[in-house]
């Protein structure tokens, strides 16, 4: 997985300050992250998230999101990828649910 992240960085992934990391267990029920950093000691807030998963899943952003295995409220994220996503305006959390098997979502907030 780290090799995929390195390749992504070479093709234009964000070059921003890493923030808080979280590890969420992906299961058959939606699981919500802790709140993203709104303003840290440097006066910066989370603007992007890096995802790495160990199983196919569905992700949703919001102020109190619930992930579902259907668009448009959630988007599909395949296993083994390392990808960067901008945080939508007003979103303070993300939620994740499995597609067909349990796993882990590793996320890194970027400032």
């Amino acid at each position: 997985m780290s090799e995929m992240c390195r390749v992504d960085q070479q093709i234009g992934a964000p070059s921003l300050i890493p923030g808080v990391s979280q590890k969420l267990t992906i299961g058959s029920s939606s699981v919500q992250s802790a709140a993203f950093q709104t303003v840290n000691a440097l006066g910066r807030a989370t603007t992007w998230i890096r995802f790495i998963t160990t199983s196919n899943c569905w992700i949703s952003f919001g102020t109190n999101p619930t992930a579902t295995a259907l668009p448009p409220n959630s988007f599909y994220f395949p296993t083994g990828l390392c990808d960067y996503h901008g945080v939508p305006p007003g979103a303070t959390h993300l939620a994740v649910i499995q597609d067909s098997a349990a796993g882990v979502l590793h996320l890194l907030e970027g400032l």
Side-chain angles (χ1 to χ4, degrees):
M1 282 188 278
S2 61
E3 185 65 30
M4 288 183 180
C5 286
R6 191 166 37 248
V7 171
D8 285 350
Q9 289 171 350
Q10 293 172 356
I11 60 172
S15 177
L16 301 171
I17 299 169
V20 174
S21 63
Q22 298 184 46
K23 179 180 176 182
L24 302 175
T25 301
I26 302 169
S28 60
S29 297
S30 181
V31 175
Q32 195 174 101
S33 70
F36 304 142
Q37 289 185 346
T38 51
V39 178
N40 68 5
L42 301 174
R44 298 191 64 162
T46 298
T47 57
W48 57 269
I49 302 286
R50 182 187 74 189
F51 300 118
I52 303 172
T53 66
T54 62
S55 67
N56 298 334
C57 61
W58 293 82
I59 297 172
S60 179
F61 283 96
T63 56
N64 187 22
T66 299
T68 60
L70 295 169
N73 296 331
S74 302
F75 64 91
Y76 179 78
F77 195 80
T79 187
L81 289 183
C82 175
D83 202 4
Y84 295 82
H85 288 267
V87 175
T92 57
H93 297 77
L94 68 78
V96 62
I97 192 169
Q98 74 183 34
D99 183 54
S100 59
V104 175
L105 168 68
H106 299 274
L107 66 91
L108 174 67
E109 297 178 37
L111 309 172

